[in-house]
Amino acid sequence: TEFVQTVTVEDTTPPSIDVEATDLEINCDDTRIEDAIQDWLNANGNAVAKDNCGSVTWTNNYTGAVSSCSAPIEVTFTATDSCGNTSDTTASYTIIDTVAPTFDGTLPDATITAECDAVPTAATLTA
C-alpha cells in the first residue's frame, strides 16, 4: 500500500519592521544635497526589517523631488519577502536653512546727521 501526501507551505506573514525609518534633515548650503538623499535612500531611511522565512528586499517610492527649504518630502520604504508579503515604514527628508542672509558690500553708518536741505541719498543694500 502506498499513500502520497502533498504538503504546501504558504508564507502569509509579512516582514517585521524592527526599526522604523528615520527622518533626514539637510542644510540647504550643503553641496552634497542629492548625495545625502541618495545615501539615506540606500540605507532604507535607516530602517531594519526581518522575515520569518528568508531575506528582505527593500524598495521606496522616491520620485527624485528635491525640496528647497519647504515642506518635508515623505518617502515610503517597503520591505518585501520572497513570497511577496510587504511591510512599510515612512520617513521624510527636509532641506532646512539655518544661515541668515548677509549683506553684500559695505554698510553705511548707522547714524547720519544732515541738514534739512542736504538729506543724503539712501544706500542700496543687497543680500
Side-chain angles (χ1 to χ4, degrees):
T1 300
E2 185 176 311
F3 179 76
V4 176
Q5 179 181 19
T6 302
V7 177
T8 303
V9 177
E10 186 175 321
D11 177 9
T12 59
T13 305
S16 63
I17 303 290
D18 294 343
V19 177
E20 296 287 334
T22 57
D23 294 341
L24 172 68
E25 285 189 350
I26 309 163
N27 200 312
C28 69
D29 67 347
D30 188 337
T31 59
R32 294 187 57 246
I33 290 175
E34 287 84 7
D35 291 340
I37 293 170
Q38 191 59 54
D39 290 348
W40 179 72
L41 293 169
N42 291 344
N44 307 310
N46 301 311
V48 176
K50 68 179 177 189
D51 188 61
N52 62 345
C53 290
S55 61
V56 172
T57 303
W58 285 97
T59 56
N60 63 67
N61 69 341
Y62 177 67
T63 61
V66 176
S67 170
S68 59
C69 301
S70 63
I73 295 178
E74 189 173 272
V75 176
T76 299
F77 297 91
T78 302
T80 305
D81 69 14
S82 59
C83 292
N85 301 306
T86 63
S87 294
D88 295 332
T89 180
T90 302
S92 300
Y93 69 88
T94 307
I95 300 173
I96 58 172
D97 183 0
T98 59
V99 179
T102 58
F103 290 108
D104 296 334
T106 305
L107 294 175
D109 293 331
T111 304
I112 298 174
T113 304
E115 297 295 323
C116 290
D117 61 348
V119 177
T121 303
T124 301
L125 299 176
T126 58

